[in-house]
Amino acid sequence: MQRFTARAVVVGDRAGTVVPDAVLDVDDGLISWVGPAADAPSAADAEVTALPGVLTPGMVNTHSHAPMVLFRGQGEGLPLDRWLTEVMWPREARLTPEDVEVAMTAASAEMLRHGVTTSVEMYFHPDRMAAAVHRTGARAVITHPVIGLPGFGSFDEQLARAVEGGRGDEVVEYGIGPHSAYTVPLPVLTAAAEVARAHDLLLTVHVAETVAEGAELLATHGLSVPALLASHDVLGGRVLGAHCVHMDDGDLELWREYDVAVAHCPGSNTKLASGTARLRDMLDLGIRVGMGTDGPASNDNLDLFEDLRLAAQLARLRERDATALTAAEAFWLATGGAAAAIGREDLGQLVAGRRADLVHVDTEDIAFVPVGDVTDLLTHLVWSVGSRHVRDTWVGGRRVVADGASTTVDEAELRADVQVRAMRLAGR
Ligand SMILES: [Zn+2]
C-alpha cells in the first residue's frame, strides 16, 4: 500500500471540498482511503510519501487533438478558412503514423506536466496514439476518427475499425469520433451512433462551434445542428458534443433530454473568435460539462488550468455576474465534472474507489498566500496558480512526473524530434 500525506486534499467535487492535513491511501492503483490524518487507519507497512503541498485529482481534458503540437502557432493571424486550406490541410496530408506517435508522446508528457492525466482524443492513427500514451504513463479515451479524407477508407471501413478496436483497457479506452455534421454525411453519423450505442463507446462530435456551420446546415435542412443530430438518431448513449457554442433554448433542451455532455473549450473559442458558450445555462439545466483544450494548434496549449480560469471569467462576463461560476465549480469542471461528462466515474475525484490519478501542487509560493480558511487553497488554485506549480503527477499510483519532469520519456529529445517533423510537414 502507498500512503500520501499532504497539506490538503482537493477532492474535485462540485461543492469544492478541501480536506486539510490529509491522508490518501492507494492500493493496487486505486484510492482506498481519503480523509483527515487524525482519522486515518493504521498503516504500518505503507510506503509513505509526505507532500508539502496540495493533492488534487488528475485533470480530465475532454476534447483534444493533441498530436497537433506539430502545428502549434502555425498560420497565426489567418482567418479560419485560410488557416485550414493553406496551413493545416497541406501539412496533415503529409502526416505519417510515426509523426502522430511522436507528437502524441510529446503532447501527453506535456499534459502530465500540467496535471492532466486523461485526455479525450480525436485524431488520425488511434493505435499509434495509444502506443504513445502507454509510453508516457497517461490515460486517454482515443476516438476512432470518422472523416471523408483520402487514405482513410470508406465510412463503412472506418466504422468497422472502430468496432474492431473494442473498448480498450484501463489505460486506453477507445471511442468513436465522427468529426461533425458539416463534414460527415448524416447517415454516417447515424450509423456511428448506432455502433457507439451497441458497444457502449463514447461518441464525440464537434457541435455548433461556429455561426457559419450552423447557418449552412439550417439553410439546407431547416434545423439547427443539435436538432439535426436528434432527428437523425445520433443522440442517446454516451454522446459528448465538443464546443456547443451556438445553442438556443431548444438546443439546450435537447441536450438535457438526451443527456448529451459538453466539452467546453473557451481557449479555442476565444482564439478562433467562435463565441461564448452558455455555460451557466447548461449547468442550471443539469447538462454535464467538462473542460477541454481543443487541439494545440487552436488554443495553443494543453493547459487546463488556463481553460478553467477562462471558463469562470467568460461565464461571469457573459452573465455580468461575479457569482456566475464559482472557483469550486470551475475546478470541478476540469476534474469530477469532466469525468462525469465522459461517463468515467472512476476518474476525476479523490475519493475511495476511484483510480489514483494524483497531482501534487507546490503551495510554497506567494500565489498561495494568504490562507484564512482551507478553502482559500482551492480559490488560489483557480485564480492565482497555474500549471507551473504542478510538481508531481501519478497515474494509477505510478509517478510519471517528478519535480516537474517526466519520469517516463525524454522530453528534450521529443521536442527536437517534433521540431524536425514539423518543418518537414511544413514543406521546409
Ligand atoms: Zn476539436
Side-chain angles (χ1 to χ4, degrees):
M1 192 187 82
Q2 293 163 275
R3 167 160 289 186
F4 296 85
T5 65
R7 178 179 181 186
V9 158
V10 174
V11 169
D13 57 352
R14 190 169 193 169
T17 306
V18 182
V19 182
D21 188 19
V23 160
L24 183 147
D25 289 338
V26 176
D27 217 348
D28 202 18
L30 299 175
I31 299 168
S32 56
W33 194 86
V34 189
D39 300 341
S42 67
D45 57 341
E47 170 200 327
V48 178
T49 304
L51 301 169
V54 297
L55 210 45
T56 75
M59 292 184 186
V60 176
N61 181 355
T62 62
H63 185 64
S64 170
H65 318 278
M68 293 179 83
V69 290
L70 288 161
F71 314 128
R72 192 171 244 158
Q74 304 306 293
E76 162 56 22
L78 289 179
L80 183 63
D81 55 341
R82 288 188 58 200
W83 180 77
L84 283 173
T85 55
E86 295 173 24
V87 181
M88 287 302 129
W89 292 344
R91 284 168 171 75
E92 287 187 330
R94 301 185 189 111
L95 263 184
T96 66
E98 202 184 342
D99 291 334
V100 170
E101 184 168 337
V102 168
M104 183 67 205
T105 309
S108 176
E110 177 187 350
M111 282 192 271
L112 289 172
R113 233 185 328 102
H114 291 164
V116 175
T117 49
T118 300
S119 63
V120 177
E121 299 291 343
M122 182 199 284
Y123 210 60
F124 312 109
H125 308 298
D127 53 328
R128 304 302 287 266
M129 295 173 72
V133 167
H134 277 281
R135 255 184 86 196
T136 63
R139 288 186 211 284
V141 180
I142 297 176
T143 62
H144 283 261
V146 178
I147 192 159
L149 284 179
F152 287 90
S154 70
F155 287 119
D156 282 346
E157 284 163 355
Q158 295 184 53
L159 292 176
R161 276 203 294 273
V163 174
E164 281 160 23
R167 281 286 309 271
D169 53 36
E170 60 185 42
V171 171
V172 170
E173 183 192 349
Y174 288 105
I176 185 161
H179 181 267
S180 63
Y182 64 93
T183 53
V184 176
L186 287 161
V188 177
L189 286 171
T190 305
E194 267 170 29
V195 164
R197 283 194 292 265
H199 300 272
D200 191 29
L201 304 175
L202 180 77
L203 179 137
T204 189
V205 55
H206 293 93
V207 178
E209 178 177 358
T210 66
V211 175
E213 135 202 1
E216 217 162 279
L217 290 165
L218 185 67
T220 313
H221 303 276
L223 292 172
S224 68
V225 181
L228 200 57
L229 295 175
S231 73
H232 284 77
D233 205 20
V234 179
L235 309 182
R238 292 171 67 193
V239 179
L240 175 69
H243 301 295
C244 305
V245 174
H246 302 282
M247 306 276 283
D248 66 19
D249 289 346
D251 298 332
L252 290 182
E253 188 52 37
L254 280 175
W255 256 217
R256 191 197 59 75
E257 185 185 334
Y258 286 97
D259 193 23
V260 178
V262 172
H264 179 49
C265 307
S268 167
N269 298 155
T270 50
K271 188 185 175 222
L272 301 178
S274 305
T276 311
R278 296 170 60 183
L279 179 57
R280 186 69 256 164
D281 293 335
M282 291 174 182
L283 295 176
D284 287 345
L285 282 167
I287 293 169
R288 292 172 295 134
V289 181
M291 297 304 310
T293 58
D294 203 0
S298 43
N299 183 307
D300 276 357
N301 64 42
L302 292 166
D303 185 349
L304 272 191
F305 270 101
E306 294 203 359
D307 284 281
L308 71 89
R309 185 176 308 134
L310 194 52
Q313 288 167 331
L314 289 175
R316 292 177 181 196
L317 196 56
R318 190 176 198 287
E319 309 299 332
R320 301 272 195 278
D321 178 358
T323 69
L325 195 80
T326 64
E329 282 178 312
F331 199 73
W332 165 71
L333 287 174
T335 52
I342 64 168
R344 288 290 301 265
E345 304 291 343
D346 58 330
L347 307 173
Q349 288 193 39
L350 299 186
V351 295
R354 299 209 185 201
R355 298 193 188 281
D357 297 353
L358 318 170
V359 174
H360 173 223
V361 180
D362 182 7
T363 59
E364 287 170 15
D365 189 292
I366 191 67
F368 268 107
V369 176
V371 176
D373 184 274
V374 71
T375 57
D376 288 344
L377 289 168
L378 176 54
T379 304
H380 296 327
L381 265 178
V382 170
W383 290 114
S384 53
V385 170
S387 60
R388 66 189 180 281
H389 296 90
V390 170
R391 279 287 158 271
D392 310 278
T393 305
W394 291 260
V395 176
R398 174 190 180 204
R399 195 187 310 225
V400 291
V401 173
D403 203 20
S406 172
T407 65
T408 54
V409 294
D410 183 335
E411 289 173 280
E413 198 177 280
L414 286 163
R415 199 159 59 230
D417 201 352
V418 168
Q419 165 68 20
V420 170
R421 288 170 190 277
M423 288 304 102
R424 192 197 86 242
L425 293 169
R428 288 170 53 180

